[in-house]
């Protein structure tokens, strides 16, 4: 027999279940919530991309799909894409479309968002080629060759550089520097876009910056001889302490020599002047013999048809029919065999760490294709051959890349990265970056001899920027350098897939501030430059006044370690020092101890003078063994295997690093050992 209490409990449970089910049936699925999608304006030929997840949310479900209910374009992978051509405007100058997009959540609720898309007929343009001249040289450019000035289309100069008469631009610079002229393209009073003309004015026709290797020390006192087409010497000088030499003549061949070094020869196959050229003069590997290197090359389009060459020696290629150029090279040396060759368009090749992307081939033959997508106008092609003794032969070939007409579009104005845009590295040992090893020569080093110095430049790619989808995708990025923060000269052009560039130019020096800027490159033009910041590479950091000193005796079994950081006295109150401490038992092989503070083995200080007591640290072996004091009467060695100075300059978005040693690659550099260890013998306690 069931009790009365049990029956009441059962009834209560049944009533609760019924109430819960009824309540559940009353819960309403909230539909997805859209934020406002701004009205969009694009030019014909430009693709609009909207990441729809940025505009919608759902409180009680997940958006499982989007549908295009009304308007042009398509939805793919949760993005809205739309790219319209002139015919879609039905003969109008512009046309406005209504776009409706529906979001559907996993519970079946739907919600629509509506925005207006205005499409304006673009004008046909091609990129204005950069102009490189010397002081006092006349510049004349007919803009009708680069802008299709159709009916009702006008061009207007809005900068104070030069004059514009009947669509012909004229300018005569009277001082070296860089100039940007801005031309607005209008139709019926509406600005369709703008074109930038870059003008680079040089003081000399040829400037050479010579270093031992990429990012290495400048070569002072190198003899530079210039020869004309007849083989007659037309100029001669020696490089300065900065490894620089300047000339106001256009040579056919340049020969660079210095006792103890291999030979570098530069052959100009056509006019590329004025030009600033970074090159190398390496120390010979085997002997002071200079090989006579010859380089034969063939250039053809994508179909294999040889490129035409004009009377000046300039090759021409139409990008419309050939997006690449095929290059065949054969090199020969009469003394040492050819070791390897490089090929690069736009700037000198070299170690991949700095010159990527470039083409490398071992041996005396090369067959390769170079991409033209990042370039237009007259661009130098560099072919370099090295023999086994590090003699070098460079051929500079001018190629004129002809671009077709393209729709004018919106530029991506390059954005700075989230962190620091610039990082300079001054590294004590001559890391060649041609292989993952350090230089074999070990010597005390001073700036700039015997060290590496380079600057790493970073920016946001278009895909990572806030302008993604609302501006056109670049085909490349162009990097600029300035020594005064005003005049920016081009350094390199890199593919649009890259967002980092390393500058190892011999024109960089410790203590000398340098600025960098980046622009986006398109078939229809180039964006304004974004100045990323500036950086001051640091001189090399050293230590002095070391205690216990080398060969010290009677040292306490709980010694006091002290030293002074030197070399950066001009940067006081800006520097943070990083270091570590190691002890080696010279009696027991492979017994060594590393100093810890808590769980940290990288120690920091802002003081130039450092004093550390033995018992303030925890000394550990790799197996976890800890010692509390040293053994009396035993020899030990101690040293700093990490010596780094860092200056974080937030104002200028840069970090400067001076790296003396990093034996355990804690800073991610190559394994760089300390200059020395210090031997001492303990006394009694």
């Amino acid at each position: 027999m069931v009790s009365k209490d049990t029956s009441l409990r059962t009834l209560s449970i049944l009533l609760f279940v019924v109430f819960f089910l009824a309540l559940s049936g009353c819960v309403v699925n909230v539909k997805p919530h859209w934020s406002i999608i701004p009205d969009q304006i694009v030019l014909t030929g430009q693709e609009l991309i909207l990441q729809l997840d940025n505009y919608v949310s759902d409180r009680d479900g997940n958006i499982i799909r989007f549908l295009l209910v009304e308007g042009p374009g398509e939805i793919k992978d949760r993005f809205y894409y739309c790219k319209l051509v002139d015919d879609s405007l039905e003969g109008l100058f512009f046309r406005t479309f209504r776009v409706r997009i529906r979001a559907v959540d996993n519970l079946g609720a739907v919600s629509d968002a509506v925005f207006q898309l205005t499409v304006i007929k673009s004008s046909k343009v091609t990129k204005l080629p950069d102009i490189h001249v010397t002081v006092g040289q006349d510049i004349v450019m007919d803009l009708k060759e680069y802008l299709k000035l159709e009916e009702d289309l006008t061009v207007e100069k809005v900068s104070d550089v030069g004059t514009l008469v009947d669509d012909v631009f004229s300018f005569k610079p009277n001082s070296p520097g860089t100039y940007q002229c801005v031309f607005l393209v209008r139709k019926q009073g509406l600005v369709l876009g703008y074109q930038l003309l870059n003008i680079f004015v040089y003081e000399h026709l040829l400037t050479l910056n010579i270093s031992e290797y990429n990012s290495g020390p400048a070569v002072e006192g190198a003899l530079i001889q210039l020869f004309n087409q007849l083989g007659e010497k037309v100029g001669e000088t020696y490089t300065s302490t900065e490894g620089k030499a300047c000339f106001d003549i256009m040579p056919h061949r340049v020969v660079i020599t210095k006792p103890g070094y291999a030979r570098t020869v530069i052959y100009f196959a056509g006019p590329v002047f004025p030009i600033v050229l970074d090159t190398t003069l390496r120390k010979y590997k085997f002997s002071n013999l200079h090989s006579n290197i010859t380089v034969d090359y063939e250039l053809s389009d994508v179909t294999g048809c040889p490129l035409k060459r004009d009377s000046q020696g300039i090759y021409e290629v139409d990008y419309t029919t050939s997006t690449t150029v095929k290059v065949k090279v054969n090199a020969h040396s009469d003394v040492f065999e050819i070791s390897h060759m490089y090929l690069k368009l736009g700037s000198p090749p070299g170690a991949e760490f700095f010159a990527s992307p470039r083409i490398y081939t071992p041996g005396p033959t090369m067959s390769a294709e170079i991409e033209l997508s990042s370039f237009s106008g007259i661009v130098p092609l560099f072919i370099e051959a090295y023999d086994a003794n590090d003699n070098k032969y460079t051929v500079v070939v001018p190629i004129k890349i002809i671009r077709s007409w393209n729709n004018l579009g919106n530029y991506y104005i390059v954005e700075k990265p989230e962190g620091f845009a610039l990082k300079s590295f001054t590294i004590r040992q001559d890391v060649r970056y041609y292989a993952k090893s350090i230089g074999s020569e070990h010597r005390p080093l001073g700036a700039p001899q015997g060290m590496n110095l380079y600057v790493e430049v970073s920016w946001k790619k278009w895909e990572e920027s806030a302008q993604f989808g609302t501006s056109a995708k670049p085909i490349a990025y162009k990097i600029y350098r300035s020594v005064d923060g005003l005049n920016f000269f081009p350094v390199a052009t890199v593919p649009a897939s890259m967002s980092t560039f390393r500058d190892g130019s011999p024109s960089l020096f410790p203590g000398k501030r340098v600025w960098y800027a980046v622009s986006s490159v398109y078939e229809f033009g180039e964006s304004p430059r974004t100045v990323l910041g500036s950086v001051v590479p640091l001189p090399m950091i050293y230590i002095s006044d070391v205690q216990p000193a080398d060969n010290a005796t009677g040292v306490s079994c709980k010694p006091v370690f002290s030293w002074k950081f030197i070399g950066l006295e001009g940067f006081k109150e800006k520097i943070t020092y990083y270091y570590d401490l190691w002890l080696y038992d010279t009696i027991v092989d492979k017994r060594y101890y590393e100093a810890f503070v808590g769980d940290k083995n990288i120690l920091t200080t802002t003081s130039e003078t450092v004093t550390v007591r033995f018992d303030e640290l925890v000394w550990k072996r790799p197996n976890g063994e800890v010692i509390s004091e040293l053994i009396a009467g035993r020899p030990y060695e101690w040293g700093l295997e990490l010596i780094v100075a860092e200056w974080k300059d937030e104002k200028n978005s840069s970090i400067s690093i001076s790296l003396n040693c990093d034996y355990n690659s804690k800073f991610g550099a190559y394994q760089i050992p300390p200059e020395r260890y210090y031997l001492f013998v303990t006394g009694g306690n």
Side-chain angles (χ1 to χ4, degrees):
M1 181 176 180
V2 180
S3 68
K4 183 177 180 180
D5 291 342
T6 301
S7 299
L8 289 174
R9 282 199 302 272
T10 302
L11 180 61
S12 298
I13 292 172
L14 289 173
L15 289 173
F16 176 78
V17 170
V18 171
F19 175 77
F20 177 78
L21 292 174
L23 184 63
S24 299
C26 296
V27 174
V28 178
N29 175 27
V30 179
K31 64 183 181 180
H33 173 72
W34 285 92
S35 58
I36 295 175
I37 299 180
D39 293 341
Q40 305 291 323
I41 301 176
V42 296
L43 299 171
T44 53
Q46 178 186 332
E47 186 172 39
L48 173 68
I49 306 174
L50 297 178
Q51 188 172 355
L52 299 177
D53 286 313
N54 292 340
Y55 298 98
V56 66
S57 61
D58 194 28
R59 189 177 66 185
D60 51 8
N62 297 316
I63 307 297
I64 59 172
R65 58 184 173 140
F66 294 98
L67 302 173
L68 181 60
V69 179
E70 179 184 357
E74 64 174 339
I75 293 176
K76 185 170 59 177
D77 297 330
R78 309 179 76 82
F79 285 83
Y80 169 73
Y81 296 89
C82 186
K83 182 178 181 179
L84 299 179
V85 296
D86 292 351
D87 292 344
S88 65
L89 303 185
E90 299 179 348
L92 301 174
F93 173 47
F94 69 91
R95 187 178 174 189
T96 299
F97 299 87
R98 175 185 168 96
V99 180
R100 180 186 295 273
I101 298 175
R102 177 165 296 164
V104 183
D105 71 11
N106 60 336
L107 298 177
V110 301
S111 179
D112 291 354
V114 177
F115 65 93
Q116 302 290 330
L117 172 61
T118 300
V119 182
I120 302 173
K121 184 179 180 181
S122 174
S123 61
K124 297 292 185 180
V125 300
T126 187
K127 183 181 181 299
L128 298 179
D130 293 345
I131 295 178
H132 299 259
V133 296
T134 53
V135 175
Q137 187 174 343
D138 288 318
I139 298 171
V140 178
M141 174 180 282
D142 189 348
L143 296 183
K144 291 188 289 292
E145 295 181 11
Y146 306 97
L147 308 174
K148 278 192 175 181
L149 299 179
E150 302 166 348
E151 184 180 358
D152 296 329
L153 273 177
T154 60
V155 67
E156 174 186 348
K157 184 177 71 70
V158 294
S159 54
D160 57 0
V161 178
T163 60
L164 184 66
V165 179
D166 295 331
D167 302 323
V168 176
F169 171 75
S170 302
F171 180 52
K172 186 175 183 177
N174 55 19
S175 61
T178 59
Y179 303 84
Q180 274 197 332
C181 194
V182 182
F183 301 101
L184 295 183
V185 180
R186 294 180 181 269
K187 183 169 184 176
Q188 300 177 9
L190 180 66
V191 176
L192 299 183
Y194 59 91
Q195 283 275 65
L196 292 180
L197 175 62
N198 289 316
I199 302 172
F200 306 103
V201 184
Y202 300 85
E203 190 173 357
H204 305 283
L205 285 170
L206 174 62
T207 300
L208 295 173
N209 297 309
I210 302 173
S211 60
E212 284 188 22
Y213 46 88
N214 291 149
S215 84
V219 179
E220 178 186 2
L223 173 63
I224 301 179
Q225 297 175 306
L226 276 57
F227 299 87
N228 62 17
Q229 286 185 312
L230 301 176
E232 301 168 336
K233 187 166 67 174
V234 293
E236 179 179 295
T237 191
Y238 289 88
T239 53
S240 66
T241 56
E242 297 178 345
K244 178 175 287 190
C246 303
F247 301 91
D248 290 317
I249 52 179
M250 294 183 286
H252 189 62
R253 186 166 56 97
V254 177
V255 179
I256 308 170
T257 56
K258 183 180 179 179
Y261 289 75
R263 180 171 63 182
T264 291
V265 177
I266 305 172
Y267 172 76
F268 293 100
V272 292
F273 306 98
I275 189 171
V276 176
L277 193 56
D278 292 346
T279 190
T280 57
L281 183 67
R282 300 188 190 176
K283 292 187 174 181
Y284 61 72
K285 290 183 177 179
F286 305 115
S287 75
N288 59 358
L289 292 177
H290 293 157
S291 298
N292 291 311
I293 300 175
T294 58
V295 173
D296 298 315
Y297 60 93
E298 297 177 4
L299 305 180
S300 59
D301 63 19
V302 70
T303 66
C305 182
L307 297 187
K308 294 181 180 180
R309 187 181 183 188
D310 67 15
S311 58
Q312 292 183 299
I314 301 174
Y315 290 87
E316 282 193 3
V317 58
D318 189 336
Y319 184 77
T320 307
T321 58
S322 184
T323 59
T324 63
V325 166
K326 294 183 177 181
V327 183
K328 291 184 178 180
V329 184
N330 286 285
H332 174 74
S333 173
D334 63 353
V335 179
F336 300 94
E337 65 179 8
I338 297 297
S339 169
H340 60 279
M341 289 190 290
Y342 292 123
L343 182 69
K344 193 173 193 298
L345 186 63
S347 55
E352 187 174 11
F353 187 75
F354 298 102
S356 181
R358 73 350 178 208
I359 297 171
Y360 164 85
T361 300
T365 61
M366 172 185 287
S367 182
E369 287 191 41
I370 53 173
E371 290 283 343
L372 306 179
S373 59
S374 302
F375 301 94
S376 64
I378 297 177
V379 183
L381 171 67
F382 292 86
I383 306 170
E384 290 189 346
Y386 287 83
D387 71 12
N389 199 39
D390 268 351
N391 292 300
K392 171 183 170 183
Y393 192 91
T394 301
V395 182
V396 186
V397 185
I399 299 179
K400 185 177 182 180
I401 303 170
I402 301 171
R403 288 283 186 173
S404 61
W405 297 100
N406 289 275
N407 288 316
L408 191 63
N410 294 330
Y411 300 98
Y412 164 49
I413 309 301
V414 174
E415 297 175 8
K416 295 182 180 181
E418 298 299 333
F420 293 92
L422 306 176
K423 295 180 182 179
S424 74
F425 296 86
T426 308
I427 302 176
R428 180 180 58 82
Q429 226 171 40
D430 52 343
V431 182
R432 304 300 173 108
Y433 295 101
Y434 298 96
K436 292 193 174 182
S437 62
I438 60 175
S440 59
E441 186 174 355
H442 191 87
R443 59 180 184 267
L445 307 173
Q449 179 63 37
M451 68 172 65
N452 288 87
L453 196 162
Y454 66 90
V455 175
E456 187 173 275
V457 184
S458 300
W459 61 92
K460 275 189 180 180
K461 291 191 296 186
W462 173 77
E463 294 86 347
E464 303 165 348
S465 73
Q467 302 164 62
F468 171 72
T470 58
S471 59
K473 182 179 180 178
I475 59 174
Y477 297 107
K478 199 168 185 178
I479 296 92
Y480 294 85
R481 184 198 313 126
S482 172
V483 295
D484 59 8
L486 300 173
N487 297 288
F488 287 83
F489 286 89
V491 176
T493 300
V494 300
S497 59
M498 296 179 62
S499 59
T500 300
F501 170 78
R502 296 182 184 95
D503 183 16
S505 171
S507 62
L508 301 174
F509 295 98
K512 183 178 179 181
R513 185 174 292 277
V514 61
W515 287 257
Y516 287 89
V518 177
S519 66
S520 300
V521 179
Y522 297 85
E523 291 183 341
F524 58 79
E526 181 180 340
S527 75
R529 295 187 287 264
T530 297
V531 179
L532 298 174
S534 64
V535 64
V536 180
L538 292 175
M540 182 46 58
I541 179 178
Y542 297 98
I543 60 173
S544 68
D545 303 336
V546 177
Q547 295 295 331
D550 200 23
N551 297 318
T553 59
V555 176
S556 169
C557 292
K558 293 184 178 181
V560 176
F561 302 97
S562 65
W563 64 90
K564 183 179 181 181
F565 292 114
I566 61 172
L568 301 176
E569 290 75 15
F571 298 86
K572 285 185 177 180
E573 299 179 0
K574 299 176 180 177
I575 300 297
T576 298
Y577 301 97
Y578 297 83
Y579 65 94
D580 62 9
L581 280 169
W582 292 77
L583 267 173
Y584 290 86
D585 189 328
T586 61
I587 299 297
V588 181
D589 187 33
K590 296 184 180 179
R591 176 170 289 180
Y592 52 88
Y593 306 90
E594 185 177 10
F596 284 79
V597 175
D599 59 350
K600 296 180 179 179
N601 59 353
I602 298 179
L603 312 180
T604 63
T605 181
T606 57
S607 174
E608 291 180 343
T609 302
V610 180
T611 300
V612 181
R613 300 181 62 85
F614 182 91
D615 50 11
E616 292 175 344
L617 305 170
V618 177
W619 296 87
K620 295 181 182 179
R621 292 188 63 198
N623 63 6
E625 176 188 341
V626 176
I627 58 170
S628 58
E629 65 178 359
L630 304 181
I631 299 173
R634 177 170 289 192
Y636 293 88
E637 281 189 332
W638 79 280
L640 279 64
E641 295 184 356
L642 176 69
I643 302 176
V644 174
E646 181 184 74
W647 172 22
K648 290 185 177 180
D649 185 1
E650 277 102 2
K651 178 182 177 182
N652 294 294
S653 189
S654 64
I655 296 178
S656 303
I657 294 174
S658 177
L659 197 154
N660 181 288
C661 63
D662 186 9
Y663 205 12
N664 301 286
S665 300
K666 294 179 179 178
F667 264 64
Y670 282 79
Q671 188 182 61
I672 301 175
E675 291 185 278
R676 65 183 300 179
Y677 292 91
Y678 303 90
L679 176 68
F680 66 91
V681 180
T682 55
N685 289 328

